[in-house]
Amino acid sequence: MEKIRIGNDITVSWKIERFGQDVNDFDLDNINLFWILPSGNRWRIEYYTKEACTLRFSLSAKEQALYGLGVYGLLLVGNAGKEGMWTVDCCEAFRLVSHSCHTGGKSAIGLDYIRLSSNINVPANGLSAYEIACKHGFEGSEKEWLESLKGGEWRWSEWWPDEVKKTNSNV
C-alpha cells in the first residue's frame, strides 16, 4: 500500500476491469464513486473523468485536512438500486502519514499519483443466462433454451472406454 504524506494533492487513476478485460461500457450517469475514509464513513466523489475504462479524480490537501491520517479506500457502485447493480472496491488504496520520513523515502515534492486497478467478477450488465445466450446467437424461447440445456439421455456405458470394460467385466 502506497504511503503518502498528508498535505500533498493526490491524483488517483483507477482502472476498472470485468473478468480481466477492460470495461469500456460503464455509464458515468449510472455510477457512484466514494472515498472510504479512515473513520469508515463514505464521502462521495463528485468530480471525476473517465477515459476508456479508467476513472481519474483527486483528493486535495485541503480535503485531507478534514478527514485526517490513516487508510483510504474507494468504492464504485454501478446502477445503484436498479436491476444489474454492481459494486467494486479498493479497500486499501493508500495510507496518509504525518511525515515524509514515513513514506519509505519518497520525496514530498510535487503531486502524488496513485494507480489502482480492480476487477469486477460479476456480470455488470444484469443479463440473465438466457439473454446472454441470445446475444451469442441462440434463437428460441426461454423454455426452448432451458430444454436445450438438458440434453439427451446419458448412459455411462456409452462413454466407458472399451479397455476398461474388458478389464472390469463386473461393471
Side-chain angles (χ1 to χ4, degrees):
M1 175 182 4
E2 188 84 20
K3 293 179 183 176
I4 301 172
R5 187 197 189 287
I6 193 167
N8 292 313
D9 289 344
I10 300 169
T11 301
V12 177
S13 175
W14 192 12
K15 182 177 182 180
I16 308 297
E17 298 177 326
R18 184 180 308 133
F19 298 112
Q21 302 295 316
D22 287 355
V23 177
N24 294 313
D25 59 350
F26 64 90
D27 183 355
L28 285 177
D29 296 330
N30 292 323
I31 65 170
N32 294 303
L33 183 59
F34 300 91
W35 289 110
I36 302 172
L37 303 172
S39 65
N41 294 329
R42 293 183 196 166
W43 173 47
R44 187 169 181 165
I45 301 170
E46 298 289 339
Y47 305 103
Y48 52 86
T49 61
K50 177 186 164 246
E51 293 177 29
C53 60
T54 301
L55 295 170
R56 288 192 173 78
F57 45 95
S58 62
L59 180 64
S60 72
K62 183 178 178 180
E63 293 165 329
Q64 295 167 33
L66 294 173
Y67 300 111
L69 301 174
V71 176
Y72 284 72
L74 295 165
L75 171 66
L76 177 62
V77 180
N79 297 323
K82 299 176 186 171
E83 188 76 24
M85 181 173 158
W86 54 271
T87 306
V88 64
D89 51 24
C90 180
C91 296
E92 297 180 342
F94 59 90
R95 176 184 294 274
L96 281 184
V97 296
S98 59
H99 296 86
S100 297
C101 57
H102 297 148
T103 65
K106 296 179 183 167
S107 171
I109 299 172
L111 296 175
D112 283 291
Y113 193 82
I114 306 285
R115 283 188 175 86
L116 303 169
S117 181
S118 293
N119 193 13
I120 303 168
N121 289 316
V122 296
N125 58 11
L127 299 177
S128 69
Y130 167 71
E131 291 168 320
I132 293 170
C134 289
K135 259 183 101 171
H136 292 279
F138 180 80
E139 294 179 2
S141 69
E142 188 170 351
K143 184 177 180 179
E144 291 169 325
W145 177 73
L146 288 170
E147 288 298 318
S148 77
L149 297 177
K150 292 180 183 175
E153 188 177 318
W154 186 80
R155 293 194 175 114
W156 180 253
S157 61
E158 293 174 10
W159 294 93
W160 198 259
D162 287 336
E163 301 79 47
V164 177
K165 286 181 190 174
K166 292 174 188 170
T167 339
N168 297 312
S169 55
N170 295 334
V171 177

